Structure formats: C-alpha cells, structure tokens
Amino acid sequence: IAKQIRIERQIGEGRFGKVCLANWRGEHVAVKIFTTINDQSWLRETEIYQTVLLRHENILGFIAADLKVSAGGAQMMLITEYHKRGSLHDFLKENTIDTAQLVIMARSIASGLAHLHEPINGTHGKPCIAHRDIKSRNILVKTDGECCIADFALAVRYDRRNEIDIAPNSRVGTRRYMAPEVVNDTIDVTSFSAFKAADMYSTSLVFWELCRRSRQSWPVGGSPMLQADEYMLPYANLVGSDPSVEDMRLVLMVQRARPDIPMRWKCDNRLRVISELIQECWHQNPNVRLPALRVMKTLRKLEDSETLES
Ligand SMILES: Cc1cccc(C2=C(c3ccc4ncccc4n3)CNN2)n1
C-alpha cells in the first residue's frame, strides 16, 4: 500500500510522528509517519487498531499499517480516514457551536469511549481498552457533526484472561489533562478500572472546552442573545503552556482547583445537564466519577428529549 500513497502535505505533529494528508487511489487519507526511533509507538498503535471489534463510528477509522524500507532506513506509517474539519481543539478555536451540536459532540465522544471501555464478551470478544491520553487534540470532528477518538499509542488493554496487556508505566499522557491520582502517582496500576476513571476525568475537561464554545440563546431585553466564551485550554488561567507534573500537583492537589463553571450554564437545560456530568467526572475521588456508558446514556436521553421539545 505504501507505494500507492502520495503524500500531499503535513497537517499535524503528534507526540510520536507527523500526520500528513495523502492521496490513496484518488481519495484523501491521513497518514501518520513514525521515525525509526518511535517504532514502539507505531507497533503499539498498530496493535490497538487491529484489536478485534474495535471499529466504531466514534473511533478514528483505521485503513492500514505499512512499512516502507528505503535506503535511508525504514519508514513506518499508519493510514486512516481523513477528517477535513480537523481536531476538536482546532475546530473549537475557530468555531462556536449551538447547544444541539454540543450534545451531539459530547454524546459521540462518550459513545466512542464507552466502546473502548466496555468489553464485548464471547470467544472473539473485544477486550476493554483505556485510552490514557484523552484531550481535544486527539479527537477529530467528522462532517456529520459527530466526533471520533484518535491516538492509541498509550492505550492499555484488559481481558479477563491475561489481565492488563502491558506493564503500565504509571504516568503517561498529557500533563494538563492528567487525573489527580495520575499526577500524584497514587493510581492503582493493577486495577484496570482506575485507568477508565482517569479517562473520565480527562473527558470531563474536553466537555468543559466544548461547553465554553457553545452559544446559548437567552432573552436579553427580548431579543435572544447568542453568547459563547472564547476558546480556552483547561487550567490555562492557572498553569503555563507546558505545565510540569509539579505545576499540576499544586493546582489539583494543593489548590484542589477545577476549571470555572460560568453562571450562564445554569440558565440552559443542555448546559446544566452537561455541567453536572462534568463535575461528577472530574471528582477528586475516582470512584465517584461516572462510567462512560452512563454518560453516553444520559446524553442520548438529553439529545432525544430536547429534539422533541425544540
Ligand atoms: C493512526 C493515525 C494515522 C493518521 C492520523 C492519525 C491521527 C490524527 C488525525 C487523523 C486524521 C486527520 N484528518 C484530518 C486532520 C487531522 C487528522 N489527524 C490525529 N492523531 N492521530 N492517526
């Protein structure tokens, strides 16, 4: 396949490789090119994408893994669907959304995460997967307005037989989005549900980013005013652009701070329901956080009910 791929331009820089827009048999695809130093990440992401029954509309669609051996060495690549609206992070920087879109995006992220977290039983079932690097840069916006989850090089898998499939190096992921128990290294790496609870904390921060950029119409002097807050990374008001573990420990453990929930979110039913989910999922105690499946069901009900009313 690698021979039929025509790289057009670079569109992103991941932790382990660069992402390019490419043309394969006349259609646009995304290609992540790893340098030989990061072959472990290429192997790991390939392994996760090839997990039985992983395919799902809210998981980035995998096409192929390929190896191009050339004079200069080996070029490892992974090929997936191309999503022209880009990452959720970039999308939210440029766009605001209405609360109907907000619910669709949040529900689709919860749905993708529930698909990762839940086992599919049976002899050829799917193991549970914890992502461990959920953030708005690792989520893509699809043309149908739903989102899909990408970047699985740090994921861990668990099936009842042989437990967690890799020796989970305890502190991985993006420090800004790390759960408190990951920041202070008290996460119980032998319990798979601890990794799922840490994913829910990171997801609550992504939901907070989404809510900030959602417009709500509230009558001010009779005419509906559409208001959204400007885009902001979680904790941007408390830490710098590349926070250290210590910076995050001070914020999460000492100050016990969380991002601000504006009063305006209480005046809109959709924003109020989602801000309640956010506060449960970023709880200091991992056992209080809601499972992805519960969050997805609550958001699906909200999606259906509001469509009836509106
Ligand atoms: C395994 C793999 C292959 C190609 C891209 C990606 C990837 C991303 C990706 C995928 C498709 C895209 N389409 C458009 C714009 C950015 C994209 N980023 C983001 N993080 N990883 N992953």
Side-chain angles (χ1 to χ4, degrees), residues 93-264:
K93 273 169 56 179
E94 305 305 323
N95 301 279
T96 59
I97 53 177
D98 64 33
T99 52
Q101 284 171 288
L102 165 66
V103 178
I104 289 166
M105 288 183 147
R107 185 265 303 152
S108 67
I109 293 164
S111 181
L113 198 60
H115 181 69
L116 286 176
H117 284 179
E118 296 305 314
I120 296 174
N121 298 319
T123 39
H124 303 291
K126 166 193 153 298
C128 307
I129 297 173
H131 187 281
R132 300 206 296 170
D133 196 16
I134 293 289
K135 58 181 179 179
S136 52
R137 282 189 200 280
N138 286 350
I139 292 170
L140 297 159
V141 181
K142 303 200 298 178
T143 46
D144 65 2
E146 295 205 7
C147 293
C148 62
I149 299 170
D151 279 285
F152 293 93
L154 298 177
V156 288
R157 278 184 311 196
Y158 173 81
D159 52 25
R160 286 181 317 288
R161 279 192 316 283
N162 46 16
E163 297 296 304
I164 299 178
D165 71 337
I166 55 164
N169 30 356
S170 59
R171 192 155 46 219
V172 294
T174 303
R175 291 189 286 265
R176 180 185 301 278
Y177 288 83
M178 278 179 182
E181 65 274 12
V182 175
V183 165
N184 72 356
D185 219 355
T186 55
I187 184 168
D188 172 5
V189 292
T190 63
S191 130
F192 188 76
S193 56
F195 291 114
K196 292 197 280 188
D199 276 350
M200 294 318 293
Y201 167 88
S202 310
T203 303
S204 75
L205 297 182
V206 172
F207 283 6
W208 178 84
E209 292 173 71
L210 273 166
C211 289
R212 273 185 67 88
R213 297 297 279 157
S214 74
R215 306 182 299 267
Q216 72 194 89
S217 56
W218 79 59
V220 177
S223 65
M225 285 280 285
L226 295 180
Q227 302 280 338
D229 300 292
E230 79 284 352
Y231 176 75
M232 189 174 159
L233 272 173
Y235 304 114
N237 55 333
L238 297 172
V239 295
S241 57
D242 182 15
S244 66
V245 170
E246 184 52 21
D247 293 334
M248 294 314 299
R249 195 187 65 78
L250 288 173
V251 166
L252 300 182
M253 310 312 296
V254 179
Q255 288 175 259
R256 295 247 168 167
R258 289 293 186 275
D260 211 39
I261 303 268
M263 276 307 288
R264 76 172 180 98

Side-chain angles (χ1 to χ4, degrees), residues 11-15 17-21 29-34 42 45-46 49 60-64 77-87 90 137-141 148-153:
I11 50 179
E13 188 83 36
R15 181 196 300 265
K18 61 178 193 271
V19 176
C20 298
L21 164 62
V29 293
V31 179
K32 192 187 280 185
I33 300 173
F34 295 77
W42 173 77
E45 197 159 24
T46 305
Y49 270 114
L60 175 62
F62 181 71
I63 293 174
M77 53 174 75
L78 287 177
I79 304 151
T80 66
E81 293 161 342
Y82 172 74
H83 293 288
K84 66 178 189 297
R85 298 174 80 175
S87 75
D90 295 340
R137 282 189 200 280
N138 286 350
I139 292 170
L140 297 159
V141 181
C148 62
I149 299 170
D151 279 285
F152 293 93

